[in-house]
Amino acid sequence: MMEKCRLVFSGSGGQGIITAAILLAEAAVLHEGLNAVQSQSYGAQARGGAARSDVIIWDKPVYYPKVIQPNVLVCLTQTAYNKYHPTIRPGGLLITDTALVKVDKSAEARLAWLPFQDQIKQEMGNARGLNICVLGAVAALTQIVSIPSLESAVAGRFDERFREANLKALHMGIALGSQRSSASV
């Protein structure tokens, strides 16, 4: 029996956090045989407004789709961090970007403060793929789904014109997550 994993992906519209959450849920359901629910909310603006997506993954039925206190919290903007970091479960995992979020040391969580945006820009020339890079780190750090399951979900989601770039971004995130040592906030 696995422990229920409650994840919140947060940031702003246009960063692709909802896509990342959907891909994680798809990998869990379609490739791991687990149960998953994914819900989302976003501000009035398609780009730039607040965005949040909740994912619950478990080997038992999930009856309520909203995450109140996440085990894993991903924050890709300072606003999202300021709003959601107090909700993380003690001992949970906070994943954020060194260039996008300044972390204060008040949360009782493990911290993965990684250079996603810098890595993506350096390797790919722009910030496209940031969400998929973060998704790779989530998989490496939590092991909630296997890397092959996530690769299959990503490959199945994107048109072949974008598939290779997204798989590259996924593997950059996996490498970042795998290299990180556990630290407390």
Side-chain angles (χ1 to χ4, degrees):
M1 186 172 92
M2 72 176 285
E3 183 179 331
K4 184 189 301 186
C5 190
R6 301 166 190 91
L7 303 98
V8 170
F9 290 77
S10 61
S12 67
Q15 286 183 311
I17 62 160
I18 292 170
T19 299
I22 290 169
L23 286 166
L24 181 62
E26 285 180 359
V29 171
L30 298 177
H31 303 288
E32 302 279 331
L34 297 168
N35 295 308
V37 294
Q38 181 274 330
S39 61
Q40 61 202 35
S41 62
Y42 42 88
Q45 303 167 345
R47 291 196 173 272
R52 171 183 167 151
S53 186
D54 295 5
V55 179
I56 301 171
I57 299 173
W58 204 13
D59 59 0
K60 295 183 179 180
V62 179
Y63 297 109
Y64 185 68
K66 186 87 169 137
V67 174
I68 306 301
Q69 198 175 31
N71 313 62
V72 179
L73 174 62
V74 176
C75 297
L76 294 182
T77 64
Q78 191 67 48
T79 302
Y81 172 80
N82 294 344
K83 182 173 183 175
Y84 297 119
H85 93 271
T87 68
I88 195 164
R89 288 178 179 272
L93 177 61
L94 172 62
I95 301 170
T96 192
D97 186 282
T98 55
L100 300 174
V101 177
K102 183 178 180 196
V103 176
D104 83 31
K105 306 294 184 195
S106 65
E108 293 180 29
R110 295 171 294 130
L111 174 64
W113 195 33
L114 299 168
F116 298 116
Q117 182 171 271
D118 292 344
Q119 187 77 30
I120 283 286
K121 283 183 174 180
Q122 179 181 348
E123 295 288 325
M124 301 181 75
N126 58 49
R128 284 189 210 116
L130 174 71
N131 61 328
I132 304 301
C133 184
V134 170
L135 181 60
V138 169
L141 291 163
T142 65
Q143 301 178 352
I144 190 72
V145 297
S146 70
I147 301 307
S149 294
L150 205 49
E151 289 169 335
S152 294
V154 169
R157 168 65 60 161
F158 295 102
D159 181 87
E160 69 181 65
R161 295 174 297 157
F162 307 109
R163 191 171 298 135
E164 186 177 318
N166 280 288
L167 287 170
K168 181 178 179 180
L170 180 71
H171 286 281
M172 285 191 302
I174 292 165
L176 284 170
S178 297
Q179 294 169 1
R180 176 218 161 259
S181 61
S182 187
S184 292
V185 178

